[in-house]
Amino acid sequence: MKKEGELSGPYFSDTHFEAEIQIEDAVLQRMIEHAEADFPNECCGFVLGKEGVPRALTHMRAVPNDQAGDQRRRFLISPLDYMKAEKYAIEQGLDLLGVYHSHPNHPAIASIHDHKQAAPFFSYLILSIQDGKFDHIRSWRLDDDGLFSEELLSNKQDQTQTQ
């Protein structure tokens, strides 16, 4: 089994931490609660905030996993939920910055499927849930070559609104 943190293959860049995300504690806590509640299935949702250096994640929106069949290894966000997230971002003066999902009993490393579904401007936050409990989180973004680079995550305490 590959040790957590060892990345290789055609989908990962050799560079890490070229981008940074600052996530508010309340947002992270809500994502963790969502991921643990949906265990053993994958959960999914959107992260919103302000583009900048670093990206500031101040809001999250959980959405149903629309994957037909086994949801333990895949998630799917419906086009309607995507449109609702864009509308919410516009109404709140926020930027739609990415997607989060969980990996039940797997590390928070982007999969080949994640790579195929990824858009270049989004951050992809992955929560590793082991036996129903949060273990760790990592974030990925496609670089200019279409390879995943890991983003540096930091947290910030705040009185964040989450929905």
Side-chain angles (χ1 to χ4, degrees):
M1 182 173 165
K2 184 183 287 186
K3 183 178 169 185
E4 176 75 31
E6 290 182 11
L7 305 174
S8 64
Y11 305 105
F12 294 99
S13 169
D14 291 333
T15 60
H16 297 280
F17 307 127
E18 289 187 8
E20 181 178 353
I21 295 178
Q22 190 173 60
I23 185 167
E24 294 189 0
D25 285 345
V27 172
L28 177 59
Q29 188 57 44
R30 291 284 309 270
M31 291 191 310
I32 291 170
E33 291 169 4
H34 183 204
E36 289 179 347
D38 282 14
F39 184 86
N41 295 328
E42 289 194 9
C43 76
C44 53
F46 294 97
V47 290
L48 306 99
K50 288 296 181 184
E51 185 65 71
V53 180
R55 279 184 164 180
L57 302 186
T58 59
H59 291 68
M60 58 81 75
R61 290 185 62 89
V63 297
N65 182 349
D66 277 355
Q67 176 67 36
D70 190 357
Q71 296 182 345
R72 292 176 295 174
R73 296 185 51 85
R74 293 280 187 272
F75 76 96
L76 179 67
I77 295 176
S78 75
L80 180 60
D81 285 329
Y82 184 85
M83 289 183 350
K84 286 179 180 177
E86 285 185 323
K87 182 178 182 226
Y88 178 81
I90 291 168
E91 290 172 350
Q92 300 299 314
L94 300 170
D95 299 312
L96 183 56
L97 298 174
V99 169
Y100 74 91
H101 72 282
S102 60
H103 279 181
N105 291 330
H106 285 277
I109 296 175
S111 68
I112 293 170
H113 178 76
D114 295 333
H115 183 265
K116 288 179 181 175
Q117 303 299 319
F121 47 87
F122 267 5
S123 293
Y124 291 89
L125 288 87
I126 301 175
L127 296 93
S128 174
I129 305 298
Q130 301 293 323
D131 298 322
K133 296 293 181 194
F134 173 72
D135 190 74
H136 64 280
I137 184 170
R138 295 172 81 174
S139 184
W140 308 90
R141 190 181 333 177
L142 292 178
D143 64 17
D144 292 338
D145 296 323
L147 303 174
F148 268 130
S149 290
E150 186 170 8
E151 299 178 297
L152 179 63
L153 279 170
S154 61
N155 65 335
K156 177 182 177 185
Q157 292 184 346
D158 196 279
Q159 300 82 31
T160 303
Q161 293 181 353
T162 58
Q163 294 190 2

